[in-house]
Amino acid sequence: MQNENFIKGQGAQRNVINRFDRYTYEPEDEDFDSVKTSFTEVFPKTIVNQVKSEDLPMAYSMNPYQGCEHGCAYCFARPTHEYWGYSAGIDFERKIMVKKNAPELLEKFFQKRGYQAAPILLSGNTDCYQPAERQFEITRKMLQVCLDYRHPVNILTKNALVLRDLDLLKPMAEQNLVSVSLSIPTINEELRRKMEPRTSSAPNKLKAIEILSENKIPVHVMVAPVIPGLNSDEPLNILKSIADAGALGFGYTLVRLNDTVEPVFVNWIEAHFPDRAQKVLNLIRSMRGGKLGDKRYFERQKGEGNIAEMIHTTFKIGKKKFFEGKEFPKLSTANFTGTRDQQLRLFD
């Protein structure tokens, strides 16, 4: 039974203490239902980040927004909001920073002397197609730069808004410059509304896979995160659904609640699933050596124990059953020259 005092359409149920603040206070009876989303322009000097994590496959990422309106309580990016002086709780969802100069910064990056092209992940931290993108269109402008420079990009999003940019994605796909990865942790729409309250619906995500695939844009799906006792019974149903829709591959992650993600998630699950909150938290601990989080490279991806092993086995079965013979293409860097000019490289 759901707690009646939860905030509808919200992942975080309150702000949590910023671990970098020397002094903290908690205002009494703050009405978070009435807090509107605000947007603040920031002016970064760079937009492309080199990914140094040893267990992540991408070399670079770029994020046009900081903070995310989608409202997923388990989002690993929440603690990054604390570097800006905000909370990883409701602030992360309601105080969004926008990088309007991102397209110009991306073009400057492409023009760097000696730069060797490699696929860039868009996003990697917060969602590049979150609702703010409808207003600011920063992601769209960045994709236009990638098309102009013939530079490959992998898109990761939870939002079917990606279909808005089919006019750019189609010519990019013709040159093997783009792939789209949709995050689908559940196809149970009632659960989806609680897990990721302001993302696209599960049917709309599956429809997006169909449309992208029909337009020859390769689609990958991230089943993430898998939360034992919540959506861990769904992997085979999800894999069948996405394979039928045209996805060429998938990945998955087991939930981990590092730093201030932990209190946000604990508060969320106690509000939405009070009858099984402790069971779910204990199952997560069983995969994380008695803790709710894990920062160890490689180990954080695998988890440990019987529950983690059962989940891994289920995905192995699903891959063999639904994705055998499917191959996800590698993106091309062959035509990138560091300019908008259309001449090809003399040497590869």
Side-chain angles (χ1 to χ4, degrees), residues 259-334:
D259 299 321
T260 36
V261 181
E262 179 178 327
V264 172
F265 182 88
V266 170
N267 190 255
W268 171 83
I269 199 163
E270 288 177 345
H272 286 276
F273 302 97
D275 56 331
R276 53 175 150 157
Q278 290 309 310
K279 177 185 176 182
V280 170
L281 293 172
N282 286 333
L283 288 171
I284 296 173
R285 290 187 183 100
S286 77
M287 300 191 306
R288 299 296 179 191
K291 300 178 181 180
L292 292 175
D294 192 347
K295 296 183 180 180
R296 296 172 296 167
Y297 289 136
F298 300 102
E299 296 301 323
R300 62 182 180 171
Q301 307 287 7
K302 297 186 301 181
E304 59 185 55
N306 293 336
I307 300 298
E309 193 54 43
M310 254 179 5
I311 292 170
H312 295 319
T313 300
T314 301
F315 277 100
K316 287 177 185 175
I317 292 170
K319 183 174 183 179
K320 184 174 178 61
K321 189 170 183 179
F322 302 118
F323 283 85
E324 193 164 21
K326 291 194 174 188
E327 187 175 348
F328 199 77
K330 285 187 67 174
L331 300 186
S332 173
T333 60

Coordinates of all heavy atoms in Angstrom, one line a residue, residues 259-334:
D259 N 26.6 7.4 -1.9 CA 26.5 8.7 -1.3 C 25.1 9.1 -1.0 O 24.3 8.4 -0.4 CB 27.3 9.7 -2.2 CG 28.7 9.3 -2.4 OD1 29.3 8.9 -1.4 OD2 29.2 9.5 -3.5
T260 N 24.7 10.3 -1.4 CA 23.4 10.9 -1.1 C 22.2 10.3 -2.0 O 21.1 10.7 -1.8 CB 23.4 12.4 -1.2 OG1 24.2 12.8 -2.3 CG2 23.9 13.0 0.1
V261 N 22.5 9.4 -2.9 CA 21.5 8.7 -3.5 C 20.8 7.8 -2.5 O 19.5 7.6 -2.6 CB 22.0 7.8 -4.7 CG1 20.9 7.1 -5.4 CG2 22.8 8.6 -5.7
E262 N 21.5 7.3 -1.6 CA 20.9 6.3 -0.6 C 19.8 6.9 0.2 O 18.7 6.4 0.2 CB 22.0 5.8 0.4 CG 21.5 4.9 1.4 CD 22.5 4.4 2.4 OE1 23.7 4.2 1.9 OE2 22.2 4.1 3.6
P263 N 19.9 8.1 0.9 CA 18.8 8.6 1.6 C 17.6 9.0 0.7 O 16.4 8.9 1.1 CB 19.3 9.8 2.3 CG 20.6 10.2 1.6 CD 21.1 8.9 1.1
V264 N 17.9 9.5 -0.5 CA 16.8 9.8 -1.5 C 16.0 8.5 -1.8 O 14.7 8.5 -1.8 CB 17.3 10.4 -2.7 CG1 16.2 10.6 -3.8 CG2 17.9 11.8 -2.4
F265 N 16.7 7.5 -2.1 CA 16.0 6.2 -2.5 C 15.3 5.6 -1.3 O 14.1 5.1 -1.5 CB 17.0 5.2 -3.1 CG 16.4 3.9 -3.5 CD1 15.9 3.8 -4.8 CD2 16.3 2.8 -2.6 CE1 15.4 2.6 -5.2 CE2 15.7 1.6 -3.0 CZ 15.2 1.5 -4.3
V266 N 15.9 5.6 -0.2 CA 15.3 5.0 1.0 C 14.0 5.7 1.3 O 12.9 5.1 1.6 CB 16.2 5.0 2.2 CG1 15.5 4.6 3.5 CG2 17.4 4.1 2.0
N267 N 14.0 7.1 1.3 CA 12.8 7.8 1.5 C 11.7 7.6 0.5 O 10.6 7.5 0.8 CB 13.2 9.3 1.6 CG 12.0 10.2 2.1 OD1 11.4 10.9 1.3 ND2 11.8 10.1 3.4
W268 N 12.2 7.4 -0.8 CA 11.2 7.2 -1.9 C 10.6 5.8 -1.7 O 9.3 5.7 -1.8 CB 12.0 7.2 -3.2 CG 11.2 6.8 -4.4 CD1 10.3 7.5 -5.1 CD2 11.2 5.5 -5.0 NE1 9.7 6.7 -6.1 CE2 10.3 5.5 -6.0 CE3 11.9 4.3 -4.7 CZ2 10.0 4.4 -6.8 CZ3 11.7 3.2 -5.5 CH2 10.7 3.2 -6.6
I269 N 11.3 4.8 -1.5 CA 10.7 3.4 -1.4 C 9.8 3.3 -0.2 O 8.8 2.6 -0.2 CB 11.8 2.3 -1.5 CG1 11.1 1.0 -1.9 CG2 12.6 2.2 -0.2 CD1 12.0 0.0 -2.4
E270 N 10.2 4.0 0.9 CA 9.3 3.9 2.1 C 8.0 4.6 1.8 O 7.0 4.3 2.4 CB 10.1 4.5 3.3 CG 11.2 3.6 3.8 CD 12.0 4.2 5.0 OE1 11.8 5.5 5.2 OE2 12.7 3.5 5.6
A271 N 8.1 5.7 1.0 CA 6.8 6.4 0.7 C 6.0 5.6 -0.3 O 4.7 5.6 -0.2 CB 7.2 7.8 0.1
H272 N 6.6 5.0 -1.3 CA 5.8 4.4 -2.4 C 5.5 2.9 -2.1 O 4.5 2.4 -2.6 CB 6.5 4.5 -3.7 CG 6.5 5.9 -4.3 ND1 5.4 6.3 -5.1 CD2 7.3 6.9 -4.2 CE1 5.6 7.6 -5.5 NE2 6.8 7.9 -4.9
F273 N 6.4 2.2 -1.4 CA 6.2 0.8 -1.2 C 6.5 0.4 0.3 O 7.4 -0.3 0.6 CB 7.2 0.0 -2.1 CG 6.9 0.2 -3.5 CD1 7.8 1.1 -4.2 CD2 6.0 -0.5 -4.2 CE1 7.6 1.3 -5.6 CE2 5.8 -0.3 -5.6 CZ 6.6 0.6 -6.3
P274 N 5.7 1.0 1.2 CA 6.0 0.8 2.6 C 5.9 -0.6 3.1 O 6.6 -1.1 4.0 CB 5.0 1.7 3.4 CG 3.9 1.9 2.3 CD 4.6 1.9 1.0
D275 N 5.1 -1.4 2.4 CA 4.9 -2.8 2.8 C 6.1 -3.7 2.4 O 6.3 -4.8 3.0 CB 3.6 -3.4 2.1 CG 3.7 -3.2 0.6 OD1 4.3 -2.3 0.1 OD2 3.1 -4.1 -0.1
R276 N 6.9 -3.3 1.5 CA 8.1 -4.1 1.1 C 9.4 -3.4 1.1 O 10.4 -3.9 0.5 CB 7.8 -4.8 -0.3 CG 7.4 -3.9 -1.4 CD 7.4 -4.7 -2.7 NE 6.4 -4.1 -3.6 CZ 6.4 -4.2 -4.9 NH1 7.3 -5.0 -5.5 NH2 5.5 -3.7 -5.7
A277 N 9.4 -2.2 1.6 CA 10.6 -1.4 1.5 C 11.8 -2.1 2.2 O 12.9 -2.1 1.6 CB 10.4 0.0 2.2
Q278 N 11.6 -2.6 3.4 CA 12.8 -3.2 4.0 C 13.2 -4.5 3.3 O 14.4 -4.8 3.3 CB 12.4 -3.5 5.5 CG 12.2 -2.3 6.4 CD 13.4 -1.3 6.2 OE1 14.6 -1.8 6.4 NE2 13.2 -0.1 6.0
K279 N 12.3 -5.2 2.7 CA 12.7 -6.4 2.0 C 13.6 -6.0 0.8 O 14.6 -6.6 0.5 CB 11.4 -7.1 1.5 CG 11.8 -8.3 0.6 CD 10.5 -9.0 0.0 CE 10.9 -10.1 -0.9 NZ 9.7 -10.7 -1.6
V280 N 13.1 -5.0 0.0 CA 13.9 -4.5 -1.1 C 15.3 -4.0 -0.7 O 16.3 -4.4 -1.3 CB 13.2 -3.4 -1.9 CG1 14.1 -2.8 -2.9 CG2 11.9 -4.0 -2.5
L281 N 15.4 -3.3 0.4 CA 16.6 -2.7 0.8 C 17.6 -3.9 1.3 O 18.8 -3.8 1.0 CB 16.4 -1.7 2.0 CG 15.7 -0.4 1.6 CD1 15.4 0.4 2.8 CD2 16.5 0.4 0.6
N282 N 17.0 -4.9 1.9 CA 17.8 -6.0 2.4 C 18.3 -6.8 1.2 O 19.5 -7.3 1.2 CB 17.0 -6.9 3.3 CG 16.9 -6.3 4.7 OD1 17.7 -5.5 5.1 ND2 15.9 -6.6 5.4
L283 N 17.5 -7.0 0.1 CA 17.9 -7.7 -1.1 C 19.1 -6.9 -1.7 O 20.0 -7.5 -2.2 CB 16.8 -7.8 -2.0 CG 15.7 -8.9 -1.6 CD1 14.5 -8.8 -2.5 CD2 16.3 -10.3 -1.6
I284 N 19.0 -5.6 -1.8 CA 20.1 -4.8 -2.3 C 21.4 -5.0 -1.5 O 22.5 -5.2 -2.1 CB 19.7 -3.3 -2.4 CG1 18.5 -3.0 -3.3 CG2 20.9 -2.4 -2.8 CD1 18.0 -1.6 -3.3
R285 N 21.2 -5.0 -0.2 CA 22.4 -5.2 0.7 C 23.0 -6.6 0.4 O 24.2 -6.7 0.5 CB 22.0 -5.1 2.1 CG 21.6 -3.7 2.6 CD 21.4 -3.6 4.1 NE 21.0 -2.3 4.5 CZ 19.7 -1.9 4.7 NH1 18.7 -2.8 4.6 NH2 19.5 -0.6 5.1
S286 N 22.2 -7.6 0.1 CA 22.7 -8.9 -0.2 C 23.6 -8.9 -1.4 O 24.4 -9.8 -1.6 CB 21.6 -9.9 -0.3 OG 20.9 -9.8 -1.6
M287 N 23.4 -8.0 -2.3 CA 24.2 -7.9 -3.6 C 25.4 -7.0 -3.4 O 26.3 -7.0 -4.3 CB 23.3 -7.3 -4.7 CG 22.1 -8.1 -5.1 SD 21.4 -7.6 -6.7 CE 21.2 -5.8 -6.4
R288 N 25.4 -6.2 -2.3 CA 26.5 -5.2 -2.1 C 27.3 -5.4 -0.9 O 27.7 -4.4 -0.2 CB 25.8 -3.8 -2.1 CG 25.0 -3.4 -3.4 CD 26.0 -3.4 -4.6 NE 25.3 -3.1 -5.9 CZ 25.9 -3.2 -7.1 NH1 27.2 -3.6 -7.1 NH2 25.3 -2.9 -8.2
G289 N 27.4 -6.6 -0.5 CA 28.3 -6.9 0.7 C 27.8 -6.3 2.0 O 28.6 -5.9 2.8
G290 N 26.5 -6.2 2.1 CA 25.9 -5.7 3.3 C 25.6 -4.2 3.3 O 25.0 -3.6 4.2
K291 N 26.0 -3.5 2.2 CA 25.8 -2.1 2.1 C 24.8 -1.8 0.9 O 24.4 -2.8 0.2 CB 27.1 -1.4 1.7 CG 28.2 -1.5 2.8 CD 29.4 -0.8 2.4 CE 30.5 -1.0 3.5 NZ 31.8 -0.3 3.1
L292 N 24.4 -0.6 0.8 CA 23.5 -0.2 -0.3 C 24.2 0.3 -1.5 O 23.6 0.4 -2.6 CB 22.4 0.8 0.2 CG 21.4 0.3 1.2 CD1 20.5 1.4 1.7 CD2 20.5 -0.8 0.6
G293 N 25.4 0.7 -1.4 CA 26.2 1.2 -2.5 C 27.5 0.4 -2.7 O 27.9 -0.4 -1.9
D294 N 28.2 0.7 -3.8 CA 29.5 0.1 -4.1 C 30.2 0.9 -5.1 O 29.6 1.2 -6.2 CB 29.2 -1.3 -4.7 CG 30.5 -2.2 -4.7 OD1 31.6 -1.6 -4.6 OD2 30.4 -3.4 -4.9
K295 N 31.4 1.3 -4.8 CA 32.2 2.2 -5.8 C 33.4 1.5 -6.4 O 34.1 2.0 -7.2 CB 32.7 3.4 -5.0 CG 31.6 4.4 -4.5 CD 32.2 5.6 -3.9 CE 31.1 6.5 -3.4 NZ 31.6 7.7 -2.7
R296 N 33.5 0.2 -6.1 CA 34.7 -0.5 -6.6 C 34.5 -0.8 -8.1 O 33.5 -1.3 -8.5 CB 34.8 -1.9 -5.9 CG 35.1 -1.8 -4.4 CD 35.0 -3.1 -3.7 NE 33.7 -3.7 -3.8 CZ 33.4 -4.9 -3.6 NH1 34.4 -5.8 -3.2 NH2 32.1 -5.4 -3.6
Y297 N 35.5 -0.4 -8.9 CA 35.5 -0.6 -10.3 C 35.3 -2.1 -10.6 O 35.8 -3.0 -9.9 CB 36.8 -0.2 -11.0 CG 37.0 1.3 -11.1 CD1 38.2 1.9 -10.7 CD2 35.9 2.1 -11.4 CE1 38.3 3.3 -10.8 CE2 36.0 3.5 -11.5 CZ 37.3 4.1 -11.2 OH 37.4 5.4 -11.2
F298 N 34.5 -2.4 -11.6 CA 34.1 -3.7 -12.1 C 33.2 -4.4 -11.1 O 32.1 -5.0 -11.5 CB 35.4 -4.6 -12.4 CG 36.2 -4.0 -13.4 CD1 37.4 -3.3 -13.1 CD2 35.9 -4.1 -14.8 CE1 38.2 -2.8 -14.0 CE2 36.7 -3.5 -15.7 CZ 37.8 -2.8 -15.4
E299 N 33.5 -4.5 -9.8 CA 32.7 -5.1 -8.8 C 31.3 -4.4 -8.7 O 30.3 -5.1 -8.5 CB 33.3 -5.1 -7.4 CG 34.6 -5.9 -7.4 CD 34.4 -7.4 -7.7 OE1 33.4 -7.9 -7.4 OE2 35.3 -8.0 -8.4
R300 N 31.3 -3.1 -8.9 CA 30.1 -2.3 -8.8 C 29.1 -2.7 -9.9 O 27.9 -2.6 -9.8 CB 30.3 -0.8 -8.8 CG 31.0 -0.4 -10.1 CD 31.3 1.1 -10.1 NE 31.9 1.6 -11.3 CZ 32.1 2.8 -11.6 NH1 31.7 3.8 -10.8 NH2 32.7 3.2 -12.8
Q301 N 29.6 -3.2 -11.0 CA 28.8 -3.6 -12.1 C 28.2 -5.0 -11.9 O 27.0 -5.3 -12.3 CB 29.6 -3.6 -13.4 CG 30.3 -2.4 -13.8 CD 29.4 -1.2 -14.2 OE1 28.2 -1.4 -14.1 NE2 30.0 -0.1 -14.6
K302 N 28.9 -5.9 -11.2 CA 28.5 -7.3 -11.1 C 27.7 -7.6 -9.8 O 26.7 -8.4 -9.9 CB 29.8 -8.2 -11.0 CG 30.6 -8.1 -12.3 CD 31.7 -9.2 -12.2 CE 32.7 -8.9 -11.0 NZ 33.8 -9.9 -11.0
G303 N 28.0 -6.9 -8.7 CA 27.3 -7.3 -7.5 C 27.9 -8.6 -7.0 O 28.8 -9.2 -7.6
E304 N 27.2 -9.2 -6.0 CA 27.7 -10.5 -5.5 C 26.5 -11.2 -4.8 O 25.5 -10.6 -4.6 CB 28.8 -10.2 -4.4 CG 28.4 -9.4 -3.2 CD 29.5 -9.1 -2.3 OE1 30.5 -8.6 -2.7 OE2 29.3 -9.4 -1.1
G305 N 26.7 -12.5 -4.6 CA 25.6 -13.2 -3.9 C 24.7 -13.9 -4.9 O 24.7 -13.7 -6.1
N306 N 23.7 -14.7 -4.3 CA 22.8 -15.5 -5.1 C 21.8 -14.6 -5.9 O 21.5 -14.9 -7.0 CB 22.0 -16.4 -4.1 CG 22.8 -17.4 -3.5 OD1 23.9 -17.8 -4.0 ND2 22.4 -17.9 -2.3
I307 N 21.3 -13.5 -5.3 CA 20.4 -12.7 -6.0 C 21.0 -12.1 -7.3 O 20.4 -12.1 -8.4 CB 19.8 -11.5 -5.1 CG1 19.1 -12.1 -3.9 CG2 18.9 -10.6 -5.9 CD1 17.9 -12.9 -4.2
A308 N 22.2 -11.5 -7.1 CA 23.0 -11.0 -8.3 C 23.2 -12.0 -9.3 O 23.0 -11.8 -10.6 CB 24.3 -10.4 -7.8
E309 N 23.6 -13.2 -8.9 CA 23.9 -14.3 -9.9 C 22.6 -14.7 -10.6 O 22.6 -15.0 -11.8 CB 24.5 -15.5 -9.1 CG 25.1 -16.6 -10.0 CD 26.1 -16.0 -11.0 OE1 26.9 -15.2 -10.6 OE2 26.1 -16.3 -12.2
M310 N 21.5 -14.8 -9.9 CA 20.2 -15.1 -10.6 C 19.9 -14.1 -11.6 O 19.4 -14.5 -12.7 CB 19.1 -15.1 -9.5 CG 18.6 -16.5 -9.2 SD 17.3 -16.7 -7.9 CE 16.8 -15.0 -7.5
I311 N 20.1 -12.8 -11.4 CA 19.8 -11.8 -12.3 C 20.7 -11.9 -13.6 O 20.3 -11.8 -14.7 CB 19.9 -10.4 -11.7 CG1 18.9 -10.2 -10.6 CG2 19.9 -9.3 -12.8 CD1 19.0 -8.9 -9.8
H312 N 22.0 -12.2 -13.3 CA 22.9 -12.3 -14.4 C 22.5 -13.5 -15.3 O 22.5 -13.4 -16.5 CB 24.4 -12.6 -13.9 CG 24.9 -11.4 -13.2 ND1 24.8 -10.1 -13.6 CD2 25.7 -11.3 -12.0 CE1 25.4 -9.3 -12.8 NE2 26.0 -10.0 -11.8
T313 N 22.1 -14.6 -14.7 CA 21.7 -15.8 -15.4 C 20.5 -15.5 -16.3 O 20.4 -16.0 -17.4 CB 21.4 -17.0 -14.4 OG1 22.6 -17.3 -13.7 CG2 21.0 -18.2 -15.2
T314 N 19.5 -14.8 -15.7 CA 18.3 -14.4 -16.5 C 18.6 -13.7 -17.7 O 18.1 -13.9 -18.8 CB 17.3 -13.6 -15.6 OG1 17.0 -14.4 -14.4 CG2 16.1 -13.3 -16.3
F315 N 19.6 -12.7 -17.6 CA 19.9 -11.9 -18.8 C 20.7 -12.8 -19.8 O 20.5 -12.6 -21.0 CB 20.7 -10.7 -18.4 CG 19.9 -9.5 -18.0 CD1 19.7 -9.3 -16.6 CD2 19.2 -8.7 -18.9 CE1 18.9 -8.2 -16.2 CE2 18.4 -7.7 -18.5 CZ 18.3 -7.4 -17.1
K316 N 21.5 -13.7 -19.4 CA 22.1 -14.6 -20.3 C 21.1 -15.4 -21.1 O 21.3 -15.6 -22.3 CB 23.1 -15.5 -19.5 CG 24.3 -14.9 -19.0 CD 25.2 -15.8 -18.2 CE 26.4 -15.1 -17.6 NZ 27.2 -16.0 -16.7
I317 N 20.1 -15.9 -20.4 CA 19.1 -16.7 -21.1 C 18.3 -15.8 -22.1 O 18.1 -16.2 -23.2 CB 18.1 -17.3 -20.0 CG1 18.7 -18.3 -19.1 CG2 16.8 -17.8 -20.7 CD1 17.9 -18.7 -17.9
G318 N 18.0 -14.6 -21.7 CA 17.3 -13.6 -22.5 C 18.1 -13.3 -23.8 O 17.6 -13.2 -24.9
K319 N 19.4 -13.1 -23.6 CA 20.2 -12.8 -24.8 C 20.2 -14.0 -25.8 O 20.1 -13.7 -27.0 CB 21.7 -12.5 -24.3 CG 22.6 -12.1 -25.4 CD 24.0 -11.7 -24.9 CE 24.9 -11.2 -26.1 NZ 26.2 -10.8 -25.6
K320 N 20.4 -15.2 -25.3 CA 20.4 -16.3 -26.2 C 19.0 -16.5 -26.9 O 18.9 -16.9 -28.0 CB 20.7 -17.6 -25.4 CG 20.9 -18.8 -26.2 CD 21.4 -20.0 -25.4 CE 21.5 -21.3 -26.2 NZ 22.4 -21.2 -27.3
K321 N 18.0 -16.3 -26.1 CA 16.6 -16.5 -26.6 C 16.1 -15.4 -27.6 O 15.5 -15.7 -28.6 CB 15.6 -16.6 -25.4 CG 14.2 -17.1 -25.8 CD 13.4 -17.4 -24.6 CE 12.1 -18.0 -25.0 NZ 11.2 -18.3 -23.8
F322 N 16.4 -14.2 -27.3 CA 15.8 -13.1 -28.1 C 16.8 -12.3 -28.9 O 16.4 -11.5 -29.8 CB 15.1 -12.1 -27.1 CG 14.1 -12.8 -26.3 CD1 14.2 -12.8 -24.9 CD2 13.0 -13.4 -26.9 CE1 13.2 -13.4 -24.1 CE2 12.0 -14.0 -26.1 CZ 12.1 -14.0 -24.7
F323 N 18.1 -12.4 -28.7 CA 19.1 -11.6 -29.4 C 20.2 -12.4 -30.2 O 21.1 -11.8 -30.7 CB 19.8 -10.6 -28.4 CG 18.9 -9.4 -28.1 CD1 18.0 -9.6 -27.0 CD2 18.9 -8.2 -28.8 CE1 17.1 -8.5 -26.7 CE2 18.1 -7.2 -28.4 CZ 17.2 -7.3 -27.4
E324 N 20.0 -13.7 -30.2 CA 21.0 -14.5 -31.0 C 21.0 -14.1 -32.4 O 19.9 -14.0 -33.1 CB 20.6 -16.0 -30.8 CG 21.8 -16.9 -31.3 CD 21.6 -18.3 -30.8 OE1 20.5 -18.7 -30.4 OE2 22.6 -19.0 -30.7
G325 N 22.2 -13.8 -33.0 CA 22.3 -13.4 -34.4 C 22.2 -11.9 -34.6 O 22.5 -11.5 -35.7
K326 N 21.8 -11.2 -33.6 CA 21.7 -9.7 -33.7 C 23.0 -9.1 -33.4 O 23.7 -9.5 -32.5 CB 20.6 -9.1 -32.8 CG 19.2 -9.5 -33.2 CD 18.2 -8.6 -32.5 CE 16.8 -8.9 -33.0 NZ 15.8 -7.9 -32.4
E327 N 23.4 -8.1 -34.2 CA 24.7 -7.5 -34.0 C 24.6 -6.0 -34.0 O 23.9 -5.4 -34.9 CB 25.7 -7.9 -35.1 CG 27.1 -7.4 -34.9 CD 28.1 -8.0 -35.9 OE1 27.7 -8.9 -36.7 OE2 29.2 -7.5 -36.0
F328 N 25.2 -5.3 -33.0 CA 25.1 -3.9 -32.9 C 26.3 -3.2 -33.6 O 27.4 -3.6 -33.4 CB 25.1 -3.4 -31.4 CG 24.5 -2.0 -31.2 CD1 23.2 -1.8 -31.3 CD2 25.4 -1.0 -31.0 CE1 22.6 -0.5 -31.1 CE2 24.9 0.3 -30.8 CZ 23.5 0.5 -30.9
P329 N 26.0 -2.3 -34.6 CA 27.1 -1.8 -35.4 C 28.0 -0.9 -34.6 O 27.6 -0.2 -33.7 CB 26.4 -1.0 -36.5 CG 25.1 -0.6 -35.8 CD 24.7 -1.7 -34.9
K330 N 29.3 -0.8 -35.0 CA 30.3 0.2 -34.5 C 30.1 1.4 -35.3 O 30.0 1.4 -36.6 CB 31.7 -0.4 -34.6 CG 32.0 -1.4 -33.6 CD 33.5 -1.8 -33.6 CE 34.4 -0.6 -33.2 NZ 35.8 -1.0 -33.1
L331 N 30.2 2.6 -34.7 CA 30.0 3.8 -35.4 C 31.3 4.2 -36.1 O 32.4 3.7 -35.7 CB 29.7 4.9 -34.4 CG 28.3 4.7 -33.7 CD1 28.0 6.0 -32.8 CD2 27.2 4.4 -34.6
S332 N 31.2 5.0 -37.1 CA 32.4 5.3 -38.0 C 33.0 6.7 -37.7 O 32.3 7.6 -37.4 CB 31.9 5.3 -39.4 OG 33.0 5.7 -40.3
T333 N 34.3 6.7 -37.7 CA 35.0 8.0 -37.6 C 35.7 8.3 -38.9 O 36.5 9.3 -38.9 CB 36.1 7.9 -36.4 OG1 37.0 6.8 -36.8 CG2 35.5 7.6 -35.1
A334 N 35.5 7.5 -39.9 CA 36.2 7.6 -41.1 C 36.2 9.0 -41.8 O 37.1 9.4 -42.5 CB 35.8 6.5 -42.1

